[in-house]
Amino acid sequence: MGSYQAVIELSGEEREDLTRWSRSRTLPAGDVFKANLILALADGKSYSTVEAELKTSRPTIARWKARFEEKRIEGLEGQYKGSRPRKATPAMQARVFKKTQQKPDDGSTHWSCRKMAAALGLSAATVYRIWSKTGLKPHRLDRYMASNDPFEEKAAEIIGLYMEPPQHAAVFCVDEKTAIQALDRLDPVLPLSPGRAEKHGFEYYRHGTLSLYAALDVKTGKVHGKTASRHTSADFIEFLTEIVERNKEHKEIHIVLDNLSAHKTQAVKEFLGKNPHVRFHFTPTYSSWLNQVEIWFAKIERDVIARGVFTSVADLSRKLMKYIRAYAKSAQPFRWTYTDVRRRIVT
């Protein structure tokens, strides 16, 4: 069989459009194929050459050549658009909506498109479109916390201490970071090198744990810390005593802290009775993020604890206290700003 020569004449605009099609990575593969076919014929290539290069057949070449010669680029578009998706009726949408709010009968906790489609005799695509239109997302789960604590009142009180602390008073944010593990790596630590991060082995030895008490001075940003083997009410009172001893020059000491049970024992109440110039300001329930010392705890976690190698509990304690002393040399107070003035608490 001979090689049939079939040259197609292209305008400059047509060649530009077809070249763009042929190089596209987003168009359907069929469109790219047709563009390459017409360009090959326009370049004077024979049917045999086009067959070999594009791995196609002569009837296919002839069909797209004829369509192009008849309607030009418009002829390369598909003639069959496919069936349009059926529109879900309001009654059908209502059935899907109501069913979605009920639990499946098979004991699972939520619906999937296929499961809902099988239950109602619809296609999974129809269920998906209805869910998208109505905003139903049965695969998603959000959580919330219910609290009767007066959030705005307590938050305003604490933020007021940060923004405008009382004169001749000290304000401290106090908390404890508990169960800090003294982990010792069993394999050598591979140091940082160009193109390679520091590497730690997966296996470790756990020497034990300790707790870190911290009091952040809101005015200076400095932290007074103390390590303890436990975090009992007695340990907490001992730490409070240290704070009071270090701040005798202040007429009042305001302490921001969370609602841990160890902070509300009878022994703590007796301590406050003996030290009337010490005032507690509890953060609202589930809102310990209002305590600025939590920001500092995140820093020491990143800088010391997360990647630390500790040969003993004593070594862990020593490195924590070393960090606190070094931090004090360049400490700065945390400056809170509002990113959205509409969310300010009006008092």
Side-chain angles (χ1 to χ4, degrees):
M1 185 178 293
S3 295
Y4 181 76
Q5 192 78 13
V7 180
I8 294 179
E9 297 294 334
L10 296 179
S11 67
E13 184 178 350
E14 287 175 335
R15 180 172 288 275
E16 182 180 343
D17 288 343
L18 290 171
T19 300
R20 187 171 61 252
W21 281 29
S22 69
R23 296 174 180 173
S24 174
R25 294 188 177 184
T26 57
L27 285 176
D31 290 345
V32 176
F33 165 79
K34 288 178 280 188
N36 282 320
L37 187 150
I38 299 302
L39 287 172
L41 294 177
D43 290 339
K45 295 182 180 180
S46 65
Y47 273 30
S48 298
T49 304
V50 175
E51 276 185 278
E53 289 184 354
L54 299 183
K55 296 180 175 58
T56 185
S57 64
R58 287 174 177 257
T60 300
I61 298 172
R63 181 171 64 253
W64 289 115
K65 174 179 177 293
R67 289 186 185 179
F68 182 81
E69 289 177 334
E70 179 183 356
K71 296 183 178 180
R72 311 308 290 178
I73 288 182
E74 184 181 345
L76 301 181
E77 297 179 359
Q79 294 185 349
Y80 302 100
K81 303 298 183 181
S83 60
R84 295 183 178 181
R86 291 175 295 173
K87 293 184 178 180
T89 63
M92 185 187 300
Q93 293 181 37
R95 285 180 62 205
V96 173
F97 189 92
K98 181 178 180 180
K99 191 74 172 177
T100 305
Q101 292 181 310
Q102 301 169 355
K103 296 295 182 183
D105 297 331
D106 62 359
S108 56
T109 58
H110 58 283
W111 292 97
S112 67
C113 281
R114 289 183 175 85
K115 192 178 295 184
M116 178 63 72
L120 296 182
L122 304 173
S123 69
T126 299
V127 173
Y128 175 79
R129 287 195 300 272
I130 294 173
W131 280 352
S132 297
K133 182 178 180 180
T134 56
L136 291 174
K137 301 176 181 179
H139 65 287
R140 293 284 302 274
L141 174 67
D142 291 334
R143 301 184 185 276
Y144 73 97
M145 291 178 290
S147 173
N148 295 324
D149 219 7
F151 174 83
E152 290 197 2
E153 180 182 334
K154 287 188 173 183
E157 179 182 326
I158 291 171
I159 294 173
L161 289 173
Y162 294 159
M163 308 298 286
E164 296 181 5
Q167 290 186 346
H168 310 297
V171 180
F172 291 96
C173 292
V174 173
D175 201 1
E176 53 270 287
K177 189 173 181 63
T178 61
I180 306 174
Q181 300 185 80
L183 300 182
D184 193 359
R185 302 293 166 180
L186 296 183
D187 299 313
V189 174
L190 302 182
L192 171 75
S193 62
R196 187 179 72 179
E198 179 181 304
K199 290 186 178 182
H200 289 196
F202 287 103
E203 295 186 342
Y204 59 85
Y205 181 80
R206 183 172 176 270
H207 291 286
T209 63
L210 56 70
S211 296
L212 172 64
Y213 287 89
L216 173 77
D217 188 330
V218 172
K219 183 177 181 180
T220 65
K222 294 182 179 181
V223 175
H224 172 61
K226 174 182 178 294
T227 59
S229 59
R230 299 181 299 171
H231 59 285
T232 64
S233 179
D235 294 316
F236 177 59
I237 293 172
E238 183 178 340
F239 184 62
L240 291 178
T241 302
E242 291 184 10
I243 297 175
V244 172
E245 291 296 321
R246 292 166 59 94
N247 293 274
K248 291 182 178 180
E249 72 278 9
H250 292 102
K251 294 181 179 180
E252 295 180 359
I253 298 176
H254 296 265
I255 295 179
V256 177
L257 68 171
D258 62 22
N259 296 274
L260 187 70
S261 59
H263 299 165
K264 298 182 176 182
T265 64
Q266 183 60 36
V268 172
K269 294 177 182 178
E270 293 174 1
F271 171 85
L272 293 176
K274 296 176 182 177
N275 298 273
H277 64 299
V278 177
R279 288 191 55 194
F280 280 3
H281 303 268
F282 291 102
T283 58
T285 307
Y286 309 122
S287 303
S288 58
W289 53 269
L290 280 170
N291 193 334
Q292 288 190 357
V293 78
E294 298 293 346
I295 305 174
W296 184 83
F297 275 147
K299 286 178 64 65
I300 197 171
E301 172 70 27
R302 292 192 303 269
D303 294 346
V304 182
I305 300 171
R307 290 170 53 174
V309 178
F310 310 106
T311 57
S312 64
V313 174
D315 182 44
L316 169 60
S317 176
R318 183 168 55 252
K319 289 177 178 177
L320 292 174
M321 297 309 296
K322 178 182 179 181
Y323 178 85
I324 291 174
R325 290 191 295 270
Y327 183 85
K329 296 178 182 178
S330 58
Q332 295 289 332
F334 295 116
R335 300 297 184 188
W336 280 23
T337 57
Y338 287 98
T339 56
D340 187 347
V341 295
R342 294 173 300 175
R343 297 184 179 181
R344 291 193 179 190
I345 297 175
V346 181
T347 58

